Amino acid sequence: MYWQQEYECMPREELAKLQLARLQNTVSRVGNHVPFYRTKFKEMGIDFENLKSLDDLKRLPFTYKQDLRDNYPYGLFAVPLREVVRVHSSSGTTGQATVVGYSRNDIQMWSDLVARVLCGAGVTADDVIQIAFGYGLFTGGFGLHYGAERLGASVIPISAGNTKRQIQIMRDFKTTALVCTPSYALKMVDVMMDAGINPNGLSLKYGLFGAEPWSEGMRQELNEKLGIRASDNYGLSEIMGPGVAGECHVCHGLHINEDHFLYEILDPETLEPVKPGEVGELVITTLTKEAFPVIRYRTRDLTRLIPEPCPCGRTFDRLHRMLGRTDDMLIIKGVNVFPMQIESVLCEIKGTAPHYRIIVDRENHEDKITVMVEVFNEIFFDAMKRQEEMINTIKRKLASELGVGVSVKLVEEKTLERFEGKGARVIDNRKL
Ligand code: DLL
């Protein structure tokens, strides 16, 4: 049930002591070895060899994605390149790419943390695990791969894509755990249906999904259609990759690996901590990374603490599934709208498939959302009246959830493109 019980179930007081020692070590390491941090500490008058308490974290500078870009490629590494055994990089679709590095110890630690997540979700050495994340510069494939091997599961390193083959292999190799983005899992469901394969006839038991936001409704959908227990796992390349946080079998919030990461949830405007349970931006400091330690990284991901202790026995705090990113937020007539809210509503409506797009346009200086949603063919080809009823139901439910009206357009089943990696469901036509 646990991979490293001595850590995962550590009494909180002991954990705080360990965190402080590790934080002191990390701050000293970056102060001595990374010019970027040395300069920042100097400017801010921080005596980096003399951190006294965990509370001192508040005084440390933030790190932004832009800092990684400015120091491209190796400027933030805290060890010489000869100690780096692996590099990963973000795709760079939204600007200059960023590069992260791992020492031998970092890879060990990363493997352990991913093994924790897999183990927490229920996967054991007896499982056959199909890793359908891309292998390459993206951290998903290799991150999960090393963790799964560390756990001792039988790994199928198939990578993303070639969905028919994925399903053939899933059937022939008797895959019990599927690892990919929730979007890709949905595409697999489609391809199975087309091929007349009943997912319940496969050996699948677990789905470990992550790398993008998804709703509780999407989880239900995947659980039902694939006959699995789907769990959420979270991470980001700037911090490590997958393995930062993951759900246990309770499937209610993600335990963050607090012995390796110090987290804060801050109001993104004031940068003050929010009250426990309130939504804010997740900010993470690495505690044990050697090659690429990061101080107070502004993830832009929004979440909240689940303050109740978890029945699984882990003492690490649980984060609510990510609600979106600060930079994904749409402001429509002054109302803040997150794509995930729209997905949640659509998943509750019978007759809609969980495939949608959110189109954002600007007309007469006003932003406007159109939600395109696939509906089952029997509705799409039914009388006009039934279609209108459907549109009205969706509009009403969306307006009540979002607090602002949106247009709705129904489309035929299978008309919207499917994704093999991270889904891109928002199409922003505004020239901002
Ligand atoms: O997506 C690492 C990863 C790989 C996590 C495989 C889990 C599984 P990046 O490509 O750097 O790294 O993207 C990181 O993806 O800041 C979030 O916005 C988003 N994200 C990752 N996991 C989740 C999740 C990987 N479970 C960015 N829920 C993060 C919601 C997620 N968003």
Side-chain angles (χ1 to χ4, degrees):
M1 181 179 189
Y2 309 109
W3 177 245
Q4 292 172 317
Q5 187 170 3
E6 65 283 22
Y7 291 107
E8 293 176 78
C9 300
M10 222 177 187
R12 300 283 309 177
E13 267 171 38
E14 239 176 83
L15 174 66
K17 280 189 204 148
L18 179 71
Q19 286 176 324
L20 177 59
R22 289 180 165 179
L23 179 66
Q24 287 166 331
N25 203 314
T26 298
V27 172
S28 155
R29 169 188 286 276
V30 298
N32 283 304
H33 299 293
V34 185
F36 166 80
Y37 286 113
R38 191 166 47 240
T39 311
K40 283 235 156 160
F41 290 165
K42 203 167 161 206
E43 280 167 10
M44 296 169 78
I46 292 162
D47 179 2
F48 60 81
E49 297 290 14
N50 268 308
L51 217 69
K52 293 278 183 298
S53 76
L54 284 176
D55 231 31
D56 288 340
L57 179 71
K58 290 207 279 274
R59 301 193 297 118
L60 300 178
F62 291 107
T63 307
Y64 297 84
K65 179 128 187 148
Q66 189 58 39
D67 297 322
L68 272 71
R69 292 190 175 127
D70 294 346
N71 289 281
Y72 177 84
Y74 300 139
L76 293 182
F77 286 18
V79 298
L81 217 47
R82 71 179 314 272
E83 286 175 34
V84 170
V85 299
R86 174 102 64 84
V87 290
H88 282 283
S89 172
S90 77
S91 58
T93 44
T94 54
Q96 165 87 63
T98 55
V99 179
V100 294
Y102 303 78
S103 68
R104 204 172 289 282
N105 285 337
D106 291 336
I107 295 280
Q108 281 253 342
M109 182 270 281
W110 188 13
S111 311
D112 268 322
L113 297 191
V114 173
R116 278 186 193 176
V117 168
L118 292 167
C119 185
V123 180
T124 69
D126 294 325
D127 282 295
V128 178
I129 179 165
Q130 183 160 337
I131 300 183
F133 274 129
Y135 278 64
L137 289 175
F138 174 53
T139 51
F142 279 101
L144 264 305
H145 182 105
Y146 273 60
E149 274 195 358
R150 183 103 178 89
L151 185 70
S154 313
V155 184
I156 308 172
I158 189 164
S159 195
N162 202 342
T163 312
K164 278 197 182 135
R165 186 149 171 266
Q166 297 270 359
I167 288 154
Q168 168 103 42
I169 285 195
M170 202 178 284
R171 195 164 60 171
D172 295 351
F173 295 9
K174 302 194 168 33
T175 301
T176 56
L178 173 65
V179 172
C180 57
T181 60
S183 297
Y184 196 25
L186 265 188
K187 174 165 178 170
M188 288 192 193
V189 170
D190 267 7
V191 176
M192 282 179 202
M193 299 297 171
D194 285 350
I197 294 171
N198 178 0
N200 290 318
L202 301 171
S203 311
L204 280 185
K205 288 195 285 191
Y206 310 107
L208 284 102
F209 304 132
E212 63 176 359
W214 51 310
S215 62
E216 196 53 41
M218 189 72 84
R219 187 211 303 266
Q220 300 309 336
E221 181 92 25
L222 289 167
N223 280 350
E224 277 163 32
K225 292 209 164 134
L226 289 170
I228 54 169
R229 184 169 76 207
S231 57
D232 190 7
N233 68 93
Y234 166 85
L236 61 168
S237 37
E238 293 84 350
I239 293 300
M240 182 176 77
V244 174
E247 281 184 330
C248 60
H249 68 277
V250 176
C251 287
H252 182 54
L254 299 91
H255 290 280
I256 174 155
N257 281 314
E258 288 189 86
D259 51 341
H260 295 272
F261 307 106
L262 212 50
Y263 81 92
E264 301 166 83
I265 301 180
L266 305 182
D267 178 322
E269 300 292 321
T270 64
L271 300 180
E272 289 299 317
V274 297
K275 294 205 188 79
E278 281 180 6
V279 174
E281 180 183 336
L282 184 64
V283 172
I284 303 179
T285 301
T286 67
L287 293 175
T288 49
K289 293 266 298 290
E290 290 182 344
F292 196 84
V294 194
I295 306 292
R296 302 190 85 193
Y297 185 70
R298 298 277 307 268
T299 67
R300 306 271 173 210
D301 291 315
L302 293 165
T303 184
R304 60 183 181 78
L305 172 71
I306 298 179
E308 299 79 33
C310 186
C312 79
R314 284 177 184 75
T315 51
F316 292 162
D317 282 345
R318 273 181 299 169
L319 305 177
H320 186 278
R321 61 166 64 251
M322 299 296 138
L323 299 158
R325 294 176 55 82
T326 50
D327 33 17
D328 278 352
M329 187 177 79
L330 302 164
I331 304 178
I332 309 296
K333 298 196 176 85
V335 179
N336 300 348
V337 172
F338 285 99
M340 247 338 89
Q341 292 175 282
I342 296 178
E343 181 178 302
S344 299
V345 171
L346 295 178
C347 280
E348 278 170 18
I349 299 172
K350 276 214 170 65
T352 63
H355 299 283
Y356 63 95
R357 285 296 178 280
I358 299 168
I359 324 266
V360 193
D361 288 295
R362 177 162 284 183
E363 281 171 15
N364 305 325
H365 307 290
E366 237 184 37
D367 291 341
K368 193 172 156 266
I369 293 186
T370 307
V371 177
M372 280 170 80
V373 56
E374 284 188 12
V375 285
F376 297 162
N377 281 348
E378 66 257 31
I379 298 175
F380 192 79
F381 292 111
D382 203 352
M384 217 42 179
K385 189 158 168 285
R386 188 131 175 250
Q387 272 204 35
E388 264 169 35
E389 274 170 17
M390 187 64 148
I391 291 181
N392 288 335
T393 310
I394 299 175
K395 274 190 174 168
R396 192 164 23 83
K397 294 205 169 169
L398 283 174
S400 110
E401 163 70 24
L402 308 175
V404 62
V406 303
S407 309
V408 172
K409 195 169 165 217
L410 305 186
V411 296
E412 222 178 304
E413 272 178 64
K414 299 194 183 138
T415 43
L416 300 174
E417 190 204 336
R418 306 298 194 243
F419 306 103
E420 296 179 347
K422 298 183 194 241
R425 297 188 173 82
V426 178
I427 300 164
D428 196 337
N429 294 325
R430 296 169 299 177
K431 306 271 176 286
L432 296 180

